[in-house]
Amino acid sequence: MNRLRKSLTVLGAAGVTTLALTGMAFAQDEPFAQSPDETAFIFNTLLFLIGGFLVMWMAAGFTMLEAGMVRTKNVAMQCVKNIGLFSIAGLMYYLVGYNLMYAGVDGGYIGSLGLWFADDSAALAETAADFGNGGGYSASSDWFFQMVFVATAASIVSGTLAERIKLWPFLIFTVVLTGLIYPIQGAWTWGGGWLSEMGFSDFAGSTIVHSVGGWAALVGAIILGSRIGKYGPNGQVNPMPGSSMPLATLGTFILWLGWFGFNGASQLALGTAADAIAVSNIFANTTIAAAAGVVAAMILTQILYTKVDLTMALNGALAGLVAITAEPLAPTLGWAVIIGAIGGVIVVVTVPLLDKLKIDDVVGAIPVHLFAGIWGTMAVPLTNGDASFATQAIGVVSVGAFVMIASLAFWLALRFTIGIRASEEDEVLGLDKAEIGLEAYPEFGQGSQSY
Amino acid sequence: MNRLRKSLTVLGAAGVTTLALTGMAFAQDEPFAQSPDETAFIFNTLLFLIGGFLVMWMAAGFTMLEAGMVRTKNVAMQCVKNIGLFSIAGLMYYLVGYNLMYAGVDGGYIGSLGLWFADDSAALAETAADFGNGGGYSASSDWFFQMVFVATAASIVSGTLAERIKLWPFLIFTVVLTGLIYPIQGAWTWGGGWLSEMGFSDFAGSTIVHSVGGWAALVGAIILGSRIGKYGPNGQVNPMPGSSMPLATLGTFILWLGWFGFNGASQLALGTAADAIAVSNIFANTTIAAAAGVVAAMILTQILYTKVDLTMALNGALAGLVAITAEPLAPTLGWAVIIGAIGGVIVVVTVPLLDKLKIDDVVGAIPVHLFAGIWGTMAVPLTNGDASFATQAIGVVSVGAFVMIASLAFWLALRFTIGIRASEEDEVLGLDKAEIGLEAYPEFGQGSQSY
Amino acid sequence: MNRLRKSLTVLGAAGVTTLALTGMAFAQDEPFAQSPDETAFIFNTLLFLIGGFLVMWMAAGFTMLEAGMVRTKNVAMQCVKNIGLFSIAGLMYYLVGYNLMYAGVDGGYIGSLGLWFADDSAALAETAADFGNGGGYSASSDWFFQMVFVATAASIVSGTLAERIKLWPFLIFTVVLTGLIYPIQGAWTWGGGWLSEMGFSDFAGSTIVHSVGGWAALVGAIILGSRIGKYGPNGQVNPMPGSSMPLATLGTFILWLGWFGFNGASQLALGTAADAIAVSNIFANTTIAAAAGVVAAMILTQILYTKVDLTMALNGALAGLVAITAEPLAPTLGWAVIIGAIGGVIVVVTVPLLDKLKIDDVVGAIPVHLFAGIWGTMAVPLTNGDASFATQAIGVVSVGAFVMIASLAFWLALRFTIGIRASEEDEVLGLDKAEIGLEAYPEFGQGSQSY
């Protein structure tokens, strides 16, 4: 007798109870009769779980990237913001987000309000009926996978607005972004709403996830203003180098790893050989697009600045990943190289452009997630015959307009109530001491002496 | 001809040899006839392997958490201790632990002594006989999964006793903890011993893993005493802030990720749709409990201290995870939020309490793993009708009593032989220089100058 | 209607197109009829994908290990080199590498030139014909898995040559190593070339991956010379301690984790219970060999130097892993302990030996990957009756000779054209400022002041 046997008894209890409700025949204590659709059910669910934990891991990637790209005096703040936003995203997606995005959208603009509950009866009934759609999947595995995507959108905002936003206003905006803004626009496409009916195509979310974070960040950056001292009176841009390049690099590798889940599991099925081939092609395209983004950024910075810029190489990887996200399945590897490389070029070109506009994006999230996200979305018709440039443009613009307007409203509401910007004194002192009450590196950070 | 074909030949050789012993029909060179139970065998094994590598990864999480929470002068020591303990745990579980825990416990108190060998014959026979229990699993996958749990218990001790314990006494205690203490009490429940017969329920180890580490750490902390300067003569508590908040945060995210393996794969089967649903529900409950722990800790520290405390938010996540570990399957998401949130509250409330008792727990492991572990174990009957408060209490107390007595005996034996505490001089200098002979950050750490 | 249904439509389009070419019956819109071989196809593919993302993650491990082992002034350079080499490896393996290694080698010395394309027709035909070999696998999953191995070989070189090699010569050498040197020697064994026909056995690449990186690094280190100040005029060796021990430790844990994919997925199949047992045995052997390497290195350094050396413990883990890589399936756990422990001993003994020869290997990659790789390759016959010492020696020597000669040619070509070594001024200043134009830790690194 060992742990396995015990557990089967436990499962017997829990499993049978659950399944009794649905009249299914999968209970442990009956003779085991695994149908092809039950196998597919397990594979589909497993894809969601593996994809989900990889995307969850991206939360650590954003945290490390941002912790490495801000100055020591604001590092702990980024850590708090990121673990906080990931937690809020999960809770909000349970409380309202999932159902707003997926429950009864039916060609419209929004789902329904209400707590999410795991209901496996429909999927199990389909699976048992063996009706030939490749099998169902567990409801919770789907919720888990969709939930970690929400957090990704929120992470993007955190990076752009670093070093001068106050903690609680940021967290409150996160509540709104993950509970309302993200799910509502998500319902339009992934929830089966009007954009989906038009034929808008965004496989894993160049627009639906990345540009959403990017638009919210852009609006936030404009309202919040730039960091003290970032832009000089005569148009000069003062570099404020990040505190730890290895942490920023680690964060980029974590994100690259997580993206296999982000794009690969967005195939949403692994129950057939065709699905397994699709997921594999997505893996290959995803990694080669990132690689092309890195190499493009390295060569371009070498040409433009006579030196390879590490942060541009890192953002080149991310831009390649964002660009391939809208359509990681249809391209050949050659197309994936082109799509990713253009993503890398976009970052190198647009980072200084934002600085010229005095839009202070601490980690370069707007070029990476918004600009490369638009590029990736518009590039879908190049390789996917079912998509059209016009419909893609409608998707990009409508999502952008909605997110900008909604973000603007909430950012302004926050600004004119509790305020969103740290005091000048706190910003100079560093948000770690001012808002968190500790230092990220108490023994060797320079803390308040820098800037 | 490519690598796959070569490998099938290789497998042919190794596989057939192994299988010949068991008379099974799964050899590669016979016609392929995959039964439903063979598919379930593969799924079950795969769950152990994925769960196992995720839990193995938690060793890195503990290392980063502890490296970030100690002062620079003791960082390398924590690195040595953690890679050392993970290695010792693996070796001891092979040499004595697994069989002490699982071999012939049969309602009793202890298994048998002896090296562990992979014996797949029984599982394969069951699988081939198609007798309807959802299929077997590979013996090594089970060993691997159980082994990484042992290491988790040892990691907990490492954190509490940091900054003043000598290296080799700690490692020797680890030998005892992983080779004797953990497996013996583990036999009582997971090995099918007396607690299991009573109906004690601890799904993934709030008591069996986390409280065991916590009790051993508590006894160790009392015997070892507090760090020099931690508690002033007039009752004041001197903060000794950790050296790197981003590493502590990274460690927490790693642990959160690893916990999907810890709890999810403790379902111990993935061969049926019911199992896939169970694992998915566990993933959802696990992440939402952690999220609730974070939010609870953030709100509570904001109220109590008017600032959000990063280390409390991190420990809130961990406490939420520990709390849900005893029963991650039965709760609804709503219950999981409550269980995790109370875990977060427990940490915020009990960390200062330990300080009042002058029990110096460097990383807060006792509140997280012991107190939240007890809470999670006692909360099982709230959602699992098969558990009772009385039996849960018997499990908590009996495991606690055994681990405390055994730990006390070994800690005292070590103290009165080779000694466990670093000299005052070494502690002030830092254990890195004193015991390891190098510095963690030679170019920017302050080393011996701090404190 | 939700995201799943949408995606099935998308897959319908893409999947059917692909599959139509092959005449297979797996399209989504036909009745679902999953054959045992289709299930095996999915399992095999999934193993490649999981193994592949774990090995991809090793790129982050090498980056962290190297970033932690160099001085602050060269940390960003290691980050650039590692993300650059991983990207180049992917692109080169697509452009020429894969086909050089696997296309039509047929007992010979080299494959064919040409871009790689995903062609799933053969595997699907085999799968549909149900001809009993355990099923096929997706072509892209295979490419992905093989590609990440190439990057590993290149990472090894990066570590040894740190702190004095210029960026672009290193990257150009990476192009040659990943596009030509690695695939050509790889064709000899894994591509079905002459070494494979002789019976040379290297399960996951102690020789084919690790020694290849090691030989290229050794030749590079000799040509490049040692760092300024490393070896004094009177034979003394000046320690140049690494900048961050926790990052080096993190890197080691990442590599340990990734190695489960490296060795485990080199089974190349998961479609039968026998395969699942094999992969599990590989996991167990892999982790216990690493553990034995750590403990051996810790005990030996305690004896030799009266202190445990953290970097030796870390390299002990890696040496144990490299040593078991040539044959992770056949050994019992006891044999795996021995093989790994000897790997750990080799590192402790040979690191000072290289210093005596004034070969400056910054991270100890030559002892770990070359010496332990040779040991592991020669140890195969101890546990695998199909291998012979003579053939193993022929494999080690022939791969070594080829890689040394080819590396020598390319290193010399680079040296006499664009030069490979940074100027003395740049080396003293630090390569981060000199070549990358930023500092890894601008606020607390000592940058140019150190050494």
Side-chain angles (χ1 to χ4, degrees), chain A residues 1-11 13-15 18-19 26-34 38-39 41-43 45-46 49-50 52-54 56-57 59-60 63-64 67 75-77 79-84 86-88 90-91 94 116-118 120 124 127 137-141 143-144 147 167-168 171 247 250 254 433-444, chain B residues 36-37 39-40 43 46 50 53-54 57 71-73 102 126 132-134 137 145-146 149 189-192 196-197 203-204 241-247 249-250 252-254 256-257 260 266-281 283-284 287-288 290-292 294-295 298-299 302 307-311 313-314 317 329 333-334 337 386 441 444-446 450:
Chain A
M1 191 173 203
N2 62 23
R3 194 173 167 198
L4 179 64
R5 301 299 163 235
K6 279 308 291 174
S7 162
L8 285 173
T9 316
V10 168
L11 173 72
T18 311
L19 293 165
F26 298 126
Q28 294 290 337
D29 37 11
E30 298 192 14
F32 184 77
Q34 193 179 47
E38 184 165 9
T39 299
F41 184 102
I42 301 170
F43 274 126
T45 299
L46 185 58
L49 296 180
I50 294 174
F53 77 62
L54 287 174
M56 175 269 162
W57 184 225
T63 310
M64 291 301 106
V75 168
M77 179 67 157
C79 295
V80 170
K81 277 161 64 184
N82 273 280
I83 200 160
F86 186 77
S87 302
I88 288 169
L91 292 166
Y94 157 59
W116 176 83
F117 285 104
D120 288 304
L124 282 170
T127 299
Y137 55 91
S138 140
S140 288
S141 70
W143 178 83
F144 178 64
M147 179 273 289
L167 178 60
W168 285 102
L171 294 176
L247 289 189
L250 175 65
I254 292 173
K433 280 188 183 165
E435 296 239 333
I436 312 294
L438 53 71
E439 289 176 276
Y441 305 105
E443 294 179 64
F444 41 84
Chain B
D37 266 4
T39 299
F43 274 126
L46 185 59
I50 294 174
F53 76 63
L54 287 174
W57 184 224
R71 290 164 292 172
T72 53
K73 64 183 180 182
Y102 286 112
E126 289 186 9
N133 75 338
Y137 55 90
F145 183 66
Q146 307 294 347
F149 274 63
T189 308
W190 289 346
S196 140
E197 305 246 313
F203 195 92
S243 53
S244 173
M245 288 306 107
L247 289 189
T249 306
L250 175 65
T252 304
F253 273 116
I254 293 173
W256 193 328
L257 171 60
F260 294 116
S266 288
Q267 172 65 14
L268 306 176
L270 187 68
T272 65
D275 284 319
I277 291 170
V279 175
S280 303
N281 290 344
F283 268 56
T287 206
I288 209 85
V294 170
V295 171
M298 288 175 69
I299 292 174
Q302 176 70 37
K307 275 180 184 170
V308 169
D309 185 317
L310 171 60
T311 63
L314 301 178
L329 176 59
L333 275 185
V337 168
D386 290 340
Y441 305 104
F444 42 84
Q446 299 174 359
S450 71

Side-chain angles (χ1 to χ4, degrees), chain B residues 334-346:
Chain B
W335 267 112
V337 168
I338 294 167
I339 292 167
I342 293 177
V345 170
I346 287 172

Side-chain angles (χ1 to χ4, degrees), chain C residues 181-204:
Chain C
I181 298 175
Y182 174 89
I184 290 173
Q185 64 80 34
W188 301 353
T189 308
W190 288 347
W194 70 277
L195 268 174
S196 142
E197 305 245 313
M198 281 190 67
F200 177 62
S201 181
D202 187 8
F203 195 91

Side-chain angles (χ1 to χ4, degrees), chain A residues 266-359:
Chain A
S266 288
Q267 172 64 17
L268 306 177
L270 186 67
T272 66
D275 284 319
I277 291 171
V279 175
S280 304
N281 290 343
I282 293 169
F283 268 56
N285 281 336
T286 298
T287 205
I288 209 84
V294 169
V295 171
M298 287 176 71
I299 292 175
L300 194 57
T301 53
Q302 177 70 37
I303 292 171
L304 292 178
Y305 309 118
T306 71
K307 277 181 181 167
V308 169
D309 185 316
L310 171 59
T311 62
M312 288 293 187
L314 300 179
N315 274 334
L318 300 179
L321 290 162
V322 170
I324 202 68
T325 292
E327 183 50 74
L329 176 58
T332 58
L333 275 185
W335 268 112
V337 168
I338 294 168
I339 291 167
I342 292 178
V345 170
I346 286 172
V347 162
V348 175
V349 171
T350 58
V351 162
L353 210 123
L354 278 181
D355 272 337
K356 264 189 197 138
L357 298 171
K358 298 196 178 178
I359 295 170

Side-chain angles (χ1 to χ4, degrees), chain C residues 236-286:
Chain C
Q236 80 271 28
V237 178
N238 297 314
M240 295 180 165
S243 52
S244 173
M245 289 305 106
L247 289 189
T249 306
L250 175 65
T252 303
F253 273 115
I254 292 173
L255 289 167
W256 194 326
L257 171 61
W259 232 288
F260 294 116
F262 201 94
N263 287 358
S266 288
Q267 172 65 13
L268 306 177
L270 187 68
T272 66
D275 285 318
I277 291 170
V279 175
S280 303
N281 290 343
I282 293 170
F283 268 56
N285 281 336
T286 297

Side-chain angles (χ1 to χ4, degrees), chain B residues 361-386:
Chain B
D361 177 0
V362 176
V363 302
I366 295 168
V368 165
H369 298 277
L370 180 54
F371 299 158
I374 293 172
W375 154 241
T377 308
M378 295 311 299
V380 174
L382 298 177
T383 62
N384 181 341
D386 290 340

